[in-house]
Amino acid sequence: MFGKLKEKLSSFVDKVAQTEISEKDVENALWDLELELLEADVALEVVDELKEKIKQKLVGQKVKIGTNKREIVEKAVKEAVLEVLTHERHIDLLEMIKSKKEKPFVIVFVGFNGSGKTTTIAKLANWLKKNGLSVVIAASDTFRAGAIEQVEEHAKRVGVKLIKHGYKSDPAAVAYDAIEHAKARGIDVVLVDTAGRNELNRNLMDEMKKIVRVTKPDLVIFVGDALAGNAIIEQARQFNEAVRIDGVILTKLDADARGGAALSIAHAIGAPILFVGVGQGYDDLMPFDEKWMLEKIFG
Ligand code: GDP
């Protein structure tokens, strides 16, 4: 996981540790690091931010004779990465759900086809159930052939009720029904699956906006595939323009050899990562923890 990021950051640490850690030494090494981070799919603005932070932390450091320079440089780089990973807004989902006065808590999921959206909804349903909450899923992807059967199969496997209409029916109406169903039965959470498509067109944007208008969700979550690297930032921005994204779930981190998307996304779109997908099983969903990610990069 994140092998590329790990390799690039660690070679930067080694390089600077061999110098006097002067402004010039740091600048030179940062110049190389910039290209390498871009190659690892870190977004440009995040690269700039990281460079600035590392520079501030390192330049002007008085290195006493006998101190371990590598440790000093590594500490500065780790701190800079942690700062970039830490979002000012932290969402504690369980806390948020439990503190909502009127049930249900509604989450709308958006994302491109193949990003892992449907699997993630099932994983989250499973996680919420394990945390003592009742869940219903709305099959609001009425567009893609097979989508309803797919989400139905997942719902069955994790033991959650699915509300569905037929294909080509109004996705907002399906979501509305799911909310009514939840209200009538005191169900805690409604998870709304939506159509992904392969590109964001006007129709899809209008459909998203309607779903959001009708359901008034407590959260809109963008599900992004970490393997898409830098491209997911652009995807997330497009969705963010159509419907404001409150949080991100990043999937397939287990297969992500680069790490750039994970490092960049929260920073780039201004919404925190809530969970990460780390496998294909229903239990392979973890609440996101910056320290865990830092450990994976440097550990
Ligand atoms: P959707 O089109 O966005 O609904 O995508 P799906 O939920 O159908 O997922 C697409 C593929 O990605 C499936 O084969 C999933 O098993 C796989 N997938 C989803 N999340 C993860 C993950 O965290 N790790 C791995 N390795 N595969 C995942």
Side-chain angles (χ1 to χ4, degrees), residues 208-240:
M208 293 287 150
K209 284 181 187 163
K210 186 171 177 196
I211 295 173
V212 166
R213 209 166 51 236
V214 169
T215 59
K216 299 186 185 61
D218 297 282
L219 288 177
V220 176
I221 292 183
F222 168 75
V223 179
D225 176 349
L227 302 182
N230 235 326
I232 75 160
I233 289 165
E234 197 40 47
Q235 293 172 10
R237 283 200 175 121
Q238 290 179 22
F239 276 108
N240 204 19

Side-chain angles (χ1 to χ4, degrees), residues 76 88 117 125 198 273:
E88 63 209 22
K117 183 158 42 64
N198 294 316
I273 303 177

Side-chain angles (χ1 to χ4, degrees), residues 53-289:
K53 285 183 186 295
I54 294 173
K55 197 171 139 188
Q56 273 175 16
K57 288 175 199 296
L58 278 179
V59 171
Q61 280 250 19
K62 294 266 181 298
V63 184
K64 289 199 200 93
I65 295 167
T67 47
N68 184 338
K69 279 200 227 164
R70 196 179 194 286
E71 264 173 31
I72 294 175
V73 184
E74 188 172 85
K75 182 167 174 277
V77 175
K78 274 187 178 173
E79 281 174 7
V81 170
L82 189 63
E83 282 170 25
V84 164
L85 281 172
T86 307
H87 202 272
E88 63 209 22
R89 213 153 47 87
H90 175 74
I91 295 181
D92 182 334
L93 187 58
L94 288 179
E95 184 57 40
M96 222 178 150
I97 294 171
K98 286 175 183 160
S99 62
K100 187 175 178 189
K101 291 205 176 63
E102 262 177 56
K103 287 179 187 179
F105 190 90
V106 180
I107 308 178
V108 169
F109 293 83
V110 299
F112 278 26
N113 280 339
S115 61
K117 183 158 42 64
T118 316
T119 315
T120 299
I121 290 172
K123 286 177 180 176
L124 191 65
N126 183 48
W127 185 84
L128 290 167
K129 267 185 71 183
K130 284 192 171 166
N131 281 284
L133 295 165
S134 49
V135 181
V136 59
I137 298 177
S140 290
D141 180 355
T142 59
F143 180 81
R144 186 169 60 90
I148 299 179
E149 289 75 12
Q150 196 188 339
V151 70
E152 191 163 35
E153 182 61 29
H154 280 306
K156 209 182 284 168
R157 290 206 202 143
V158 295
V160 162
K161 170 90 181 163
L162 179 87
I163 300 296
K164 61 172 183 176
H165 294 182
Y167 284 103
K168 306 281 176 269
S169 60
D170 181 0
V174 183
Y176 183 83
D177 272 5
I179 294 171
E180 289 301 301
H181 174 94
K183 269 186 194 159
R185 290 162 183 80
I187 291 173
D188 299 304
V189 187
V190 176
L191 305 178
V192 183
D193 191 13
T194 66
R197 320 270 162 101
N198 294 316
E199 62 179 57
L200 256 185
N201 55 29
R202 168 82 24 220
N203 276 348
L204 183 61
M205 285 220 199
D206 288 345
E207 186 177 301
M208 293 287 150
K209 284 181 187 163
K210 186 171 177 196
I211 295 173
V212 166
R213 209 166 51 236
V214 169
T215 59
K216 299 186 185 61
D218 297 282
L219 288 177
V220 176
I221 292 183
F222 168 75
V223 179
D225 176 349
L227 302 182
N230 235 326
I232 75 160
I233 289 165
E234 197 40 47
Q235 293 172 10
R237 283 200 175 121
Q238 290 179 22
F239 276 108
N240 204 19
E241 272 170 32
V243 285
R244 202 175 56 87
I245 294 171
D246 301 303
V248 176
I249 296 183
L250 211 51
T251 64
K252 309 184 197 176
L253 246 64
D254 52 305
D256 181 15
R258 291 169 182 261
L263 187 58
S264 308
I265 185 112
H267 200 276
I269 66 155
I273 303 177
L274 271 68
F275 291 88
V276 288
V278 289
Q280 292 183 293
Y282 293 126
D283 285 325
D284 296 326
L285 183 78
M286 281 176 37
F288 179 66
D289 176 6

Side-chain angles (χ1 to χ4, degrees), residues 8-25:
K8 304 298 183 199
L9 290 169
S10 137
S11 91
F12 171 82
V13 171
D14 287 337
K15 199 185 293 173
V16 180
Q18 283 161 19
T19 68
E20 294 306 313
I21 322 190
S22 68
E23 180 156 4
K24 192 155 162 283
D25 296 331

